[in-house]
């Protein structure tokens, strides 16, 4: 059985997923959830495949009402979560009864939260992704009165004694704060900055209020190119650290265009991009040099942690009789069938 979810206070929220991987070959940004770790974790905690559509909430308060019993999970930045007026926990599955209101308030020590609903929600796709794209005007920006259609309903799952929390799945939550440490590897143009390139690792940078999903703008002491040659427009990766002017660094995020013509001093790692996704204007950022091998190992550790979480969720949901849809590349999970 599916039901409607009524958006009562949208704040700044969109329906998204992990991004449009086919987009760059057609000249479109990959987009998708900026904090990929938190988005994946939310879907796993809700018993969904990683790439199912979910709600990304940026900075502002959010409120919705369910017409059917549902199961949700909220991850990302620290916040106050209530269900039917009762306090509820982040980074855990949470039951919502029909008619209850889910409120997310006071996002702090971070910028973005992720709300996944068991079974996910119905959403249009472009090149296989529900991720919004402002360039072509695609995507679902939530507004007051918007109705989301949930794909399934889950009866209330509550601890029978003293109304204690039911789930303690042991997920290590990323630390967030106003002083951020971000790992980067050398960029293709690092040699053009000479000794000045070391400033990236010895200086502190401040996040500008002009930052967005396309790129973060950072003020501070800037490295300078030793070459005056023109940089032709070419493909640039998500995470490219550019020096477009004498005023700021620019870190390209998931909404970046696929080509650019500025020198690329460094490239932020995938785990570093998750950190920057939670950076608020005024937060301080320091960069730390790492190697491609070290960055790959860190990414694999992160994914392994999420897969361990998935195994725990599948086991618990199976015992409770809650269906889990496995990743498309995996065999069906017998415990959740």
């Amino acid at each position: 059985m599916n039901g409607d979810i009524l958006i009562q206070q949208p704040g700044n929220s969109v329906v998204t997923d992990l991004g449009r991987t086919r987009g760059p070959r057609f000249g479109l940004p990959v987009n998708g959830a900026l904090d990929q770790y938190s988005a994946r974790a939310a879907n796993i905690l809700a018993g969904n495949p990683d790439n199912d559509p979910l709600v990304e909430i940026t900075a502002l308060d959010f409120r919705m009402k369910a017409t059917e019993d549902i199961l949700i999970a909220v991850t990302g930045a620290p916040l106050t979560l209530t269900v039917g007026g009762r306090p509820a926990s982040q980074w855990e599955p949470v039951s919502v009864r029909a008619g209850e209101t889910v409120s997310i308030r006071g996002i702090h020590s971070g910028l973005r939260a992720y709300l996944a609903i068991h079974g996910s929600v119905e959403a249009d796709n472009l090149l296989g992704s529900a991720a919004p794209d402002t360039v072509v005007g695609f995507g679902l920006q939530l507004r007051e009165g918007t109705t989301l259609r949930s794909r399934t309903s889950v009866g209330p799952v509550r601890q029978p004694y003293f109304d204690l929390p039911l789930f303690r799945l042991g997920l290590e939550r990323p630390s967030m704060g106003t002083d951020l440490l971000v790992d980067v590897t050398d960029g293709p143009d690092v040699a053009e900055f000479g000794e000045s390139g070391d400033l990236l690792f010895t200086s502190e940078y401040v996040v500008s209020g002009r930052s967005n999903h396309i790129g973060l703008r950072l003020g501070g002491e800037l490295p300078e190119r030793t070459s005056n040659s023109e940089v032709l427009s070419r493909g640039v990766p998500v995470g490219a650290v550019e020096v477009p002017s004498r005023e700021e660094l620019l870190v390209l995020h998931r909404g970046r265009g696929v080509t650019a013509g500025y020198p690329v001093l460094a490239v932020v790692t995938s785990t570093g991009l998750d950190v920057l996704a939670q950076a608020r204007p005024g937060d301080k950022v320091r960069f730390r040099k790492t190697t491609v091998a070290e960055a790959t190992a860190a990414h694999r550790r992160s994914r392994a942690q999420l897969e361990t979480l998935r195994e725990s969720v599948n086991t618990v949901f199976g015992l409770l009789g809650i269906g889990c849809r496995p990743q498309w590349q995996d065999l069906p999970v017998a415990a959740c069938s």
Side-chain angles (χ1 to χ4, degrees):
M1 179 186 299
N2 52 11
D4 292 336
I5 297 168
L6 177 64
I7 305 302
Q8 298 174 317
Q9 182 180 4
N12 183 10
S13 57
V14 297
V15 172
T16 190
D17 52 29
L18 295 181
R20 188 163 292 104
T21 55
R22 294 170 55 199
R25 75 185 69 175
F26 297 102
L28 296 177
V30 66
N31 281 307
L34 264 67
D35 182 349
Q36 297 265 299
Y37 181 89
S38 293
R40 289 180 186 274
N43 264 328
I44 291 171
L45 288 165
N48 300 332
D50 289 16
N51 200 37
D52 268 8
L54 77 171
V55 179
E56 181 180 67
I57 302 158
T58 302
L60 304 179
D61 293 351
F62 173 90
R63 190 172 70 254
M64 70 180 197
K65 184 176 182 179
T67 63
E68 297 286 344
D69 296 337
I70 58 175
L71 188 73
I72 68 169
V74 177
T75 63
L79 49 81
T80 299
L81 172 65
T82 59
V83 175
R86 305 180 307 275
S89 298
Q90 284 183 261
W91 300 89
E92 294 180 14
V94 176
S95 281
V96 181
R97 294 178 183 270
E100 288 187 327
T101 295
V102 176
S103 295
I104 290 174
R105 304 191 308 276
I107 293 176
H108 63 279
S109 299
L111 191 64
R112 293 179 170 87
Y114 295 87
L115 167 64
I117 300 166
H118 177 70
S120 189
V121 295
E122 297 177 0
D124 291 336
N125 280 347
L126 173 64
L127 295 178
S129 173
D133 190 311
T134 56
V135 174
V136 297
F138 173 82
L140 181 54
Q141 176 86 36
L142 300 182
R143 305 189 184 283
E144 183 177 350
T146 298
T147 298
L148 295 177
R149 188 74 169 167
S150 64
R151 293 173 177 167
T152 189
S153 175
V154 180
V157 181
R158 302 293 291 275
Q159 219 278 355
Y161 303 106
F162 309 112
D163 203 25
L164 295 172
L166 180 63
F167 300 99
R168 283 289 185 265
L169 296 169
L171 178 64
E172 181 180 342
R173 308 178 189 187
S175 59
M176 299 181 192
T178 58
D179 296 308
L180 309 175
L181 183 62
V182 176
D183 285 338
V184 299
T185 59
D186 283 340
D189 306 314
V190 62
E192 295 190 22
F193 291 86
E195 295 182 358
S196 150
D198 291 338
L199 286 173
L200 185 67
F201 308 108
T202 59
S203 302
E204 185 175 76
Y205 297 91
V206 178
V207 179
S208 165
R210 297 193 298 129
S211 300
N212 54 27
H213 69 289
I214 296 174
L216 276 83
R217 299 179 182 273
L218 305 170
E221 194 170 3
L222 303 182
E224 294 186 16
R225 288 181 73 203
T226 57
S227 170
N228 293 321
S229 60
E230 182 178 358
V231 179
L232 298 179
S233 184
R234 67 237 166 118
V236 290
V238 174
V241 180
E242 298 183 334
V243 189
S245 70
R246 294 184 179 273
E247 297 178 359
E248 60 189 7
L249 287 178
L250 178 61
V251 181
L252 300 182
H253 221 303
R254 298 180 64 81
R256 81 6 173 168
V258 296
T259 61
Y262 296 113
V264 177
L265 171 60
V267 179
V268 176
T269 66
S270 59
T271 53
L273 284 170
D274 291 340
V275 173
L276 288 178
Q278 297 294 351
R280 302 173 70 92
D283 284 356
K284 298 174 183 178
V285 176
R286 286 190 174 274
F287 293 98
R288 178 174 61 187
K289 180 180 285 191
T290 189
T291 65
V292 172
E294 290 168 340
T296 301
H299 176 70
R300 287 175 176 168
R301 287 193 299 270
S302 174
R303 294 297 297 274
Q305 185 182 50
L306 290 176
E307 287 309 309
T308 299
L309 174 68
R310 185 188 304 283
E311 292 174 4
S312 298
V313 169
N314 287 350
T315 299
V316 172
F317 279 21
L319 293 172
L320 293 171
I322 302 173
C324 300
R325 291 186 298 118
Q327 294 283 78
W328 66 268
Q329 70 269 33
D330 294 337
L331 294 174
V333 180
C336 293
S337 59

